Amino acid sequence: QVQLVESGGGLVQPGGSLRLSCAASGIGTDTMGWYRQAPGKQRELVAAITGGGSANYLDSVKGRFTISRDNAKNSVYLQMNSLKSEDTAVYYCNADRVWYGSRWFYNLWGQGTQVTVSS
């Protein structure tokens, strides 16, 4: 019953924009983030945001991507601008923990959403 649901992936041209969304089914969350994994490569952390709103980013996306959250909706977003072919990957939402019912559930992952940047 506790889960992360992602949306917003798709196909865009280089220089285009896309916004990813992720909603947790619980009533509270702590740090949340976005990871990505391209074929043949290791999974990497793209951006993370604490419950208080402090964010950090992978160097290669700084100035292009913005992570944000809406605590009332238990949601996290990733606005991606000036997309490059190198950004092509499956993007996964992660929550370090989610408050659901009467306990914390730890290290939850979304199902993944494909982002393809190509002309």
Side-chain angles (χ1 to χ4, degrees), residues 57-77:
Y57 299 89
L58 182 68
D59 283 345
S60 63
V61 309
K62 287 181 178 178
R64 300 189 297 119
F65 291 10
T66 302
I67 188 170
S68 61
R69 66 187 298 154
D70 184 337
N71 290 334
K73 298 180 179 179
N74 295 321
S75 298
V76 64
Y77 310 93

Side-chain angles (χ1 to χ4, degrees), residues 64-113:
R64 300 189 297 119
F65 291 10
T66 302
I67 188 170
S68 61
R69 66 187 298 154
D70 184 337
N71 290 334
K73 298 180 179 179
N74 295 321
S75 298
V76 64
Y77 310 93
L78 187 67
Q79 178 66 46
M80 303 184 292
N81 298 325
S82 302
L83 284 162
K84 306 174 181 179
S85 60
E86 303 92 275
D87 297 316
T88 296
V90 177
Y91 284 70
Y92 297 91
C93 177
N94 173 267
D96 69 336
R97 61 180 185 172
V98 177
W99 181 260
Y100 184 84
S102 60
R103 58 159 288 189
W104 289 103
F105 291 79
Y106 294 90
N107 194 29
L108 302 180
W109 293 89
Q111 79 280 6
T113 185

